[in-house]
Amino acid sequence: MKTTNNDLDTRLIDALAATRSSTRLRAALIAGTRPDERLVEPLIMRCGTEPDFFVRDMLTWALTRHPAAITVPKLLEKLRSEAAQARSQALHTLSKIGDESAWPEIAGQLLRDADDEVARSAWRAAVALVPPGREAELATLLSTQLGRGDEDIQLSLSRALIALGETVPSLLGVAMKSANPAVRAHAIATERLLHDPDSEFAFALEYANRIANTGPAPVGDS
């Protein structure tokens, strides 16, 4: 019996929701190897619910294999989804596609999204897509998020800021004078990472918190 393209599409779509992650991974791989615009919507929908990191990564890769003219508008729609994972994965995929037309949708409320993972994805996407000459504007927006989240979230923001270049030191200088000790500590730790990219962020943040809350440790204090 001959297998038609429609049969293949249906089987792939069903496989994207299979119980076994290995089956879903293979389905996403096939979808990227044989691009078909009819698969774009199912791939995007699956991104919003897929629990496995490796499958999500393959779904993103599959979407990058399709024309941006088709994928980008549909991904931008997902930025307004009520589901945090749908927003986060759409942001991640947009950053991988690299279409700067997505910038206006990203450089706004999503940078301050209530969900930490969505905000982190927005920071990364914004840095990847910022138009030339607007790095300082983005750095200013990102600096308002200093002090937010746990250590991993703060490290992500620090890296995003550092990637934006020469305007960052002055912004950090202002943040170090904040009335909020969490903001001061994050700014101090980011400045240390800026000057020493190989430094251990956790240690830098711990030390920065000590300075921000109690002042520098006495000489010889461990």
Side-chain angles (χ1 to χ4, degrees):
M1 180 177 177
K2 185 177 179 179
T3 300
T4 67
N5 286 338
N6 285 337
D7 291 334
L8 180 60
D9 292 344
T10 300
R11 288 164 55 191
L12 272 177
I13 292 169
D14 289 343
L16 288 172
T19 301
R20 297 179 60 181
S21 61
S22 59
T23 301
R24 302 196 303 274
L25 184 68
R26 179 169 174 74
L29 174 62
I30 293 172
T33 304
R34 306 171 187 173
D36 184 330
E37 64 181 75
R38 292 171 296 182
L39 294 172
V40 169
E41 187 67 31
L43 287 168
I44 292 175
M45 292 295 292
R46 188 61 201 178
C47 280
T49 58
E50 173 56 50
D52 187 281
F53 170 81
F54 296 103
V55 178
R56 290 200 303 271
D57 208 38
M58 188 64 75
L59 290 167
T60 289
W61 173 80
L63 286 165
T64 66
R65 297 274 295 164
H66 290 77
I70 297 172
T71 57
V72 169
K74 293 181 180 296
L75 289 165
L76 291 177
E77 291 177 7
K78 288 299 176 183
L79 298 184
R80 295 181 285 277
S81 171
E82 293 184 1
Q85 182 173 314
R87 298 196 304 277
S88 179
Q89 282 301 122
L91 286 161
H92 175 64
T93 305
L94 286 166
S95 73
K96 295 300 181 182
I97 292 172
D99 190 322
E100 291 184 3
S101 67
W103 161 257
E105 296 286 339
I106 295 171
Q109 185 59 38
L110 285 165
L111 299 176
R112 303 182 294 275
D113 196 279
D115 186 277
D116 283 343
E117 289 302 326
V118 175
R120 170 157 54 182
S121 294
W123 303 336
R124 291 170 173 169
V127 169
L129 300 175
V130 60
R134 302 191 66 174
E135 293 86 355
E137 174 187 342
L138 177 57
T140 299
L141 290 171
L142 293 184
S143 69
T144 66
Q145 300 302 293
L146 285 165
R148 172 179 179 164
D150 60 19
E151 181 184 310
D152 286 341
I153 294 296
Q154 291 194 13
L155 176 57
S156 292
L157 180 60
S158 295
R159 286 173 172 165
L161 281 166
I162 289 169
L164 293 172
E166 60 187 23
T167 63
V168 173
S170 61
L171 291 171
L172 294 176
V174 172
M176 288 178 200
K177 301 174 184 176
S178 170
N180 186 332
V183 173
R184 294 200 304 272
H186 193 180
I188 293 168
T190 303
E191 184 185 49
R192 179 165 184 166
L193 193 64
L194 175 65
H195 294 297
D196 183 8
D198 295 325
S199 64
E200 175 60 47
F201 185 76
F203 175 79
L205 188 59
E206 179 183 357
Y207 180 70
N209 271 301
R210 186 190 310 183
I211 294 175
N213 287 284
T214 65
V219 175
D221 185 9
S222 57

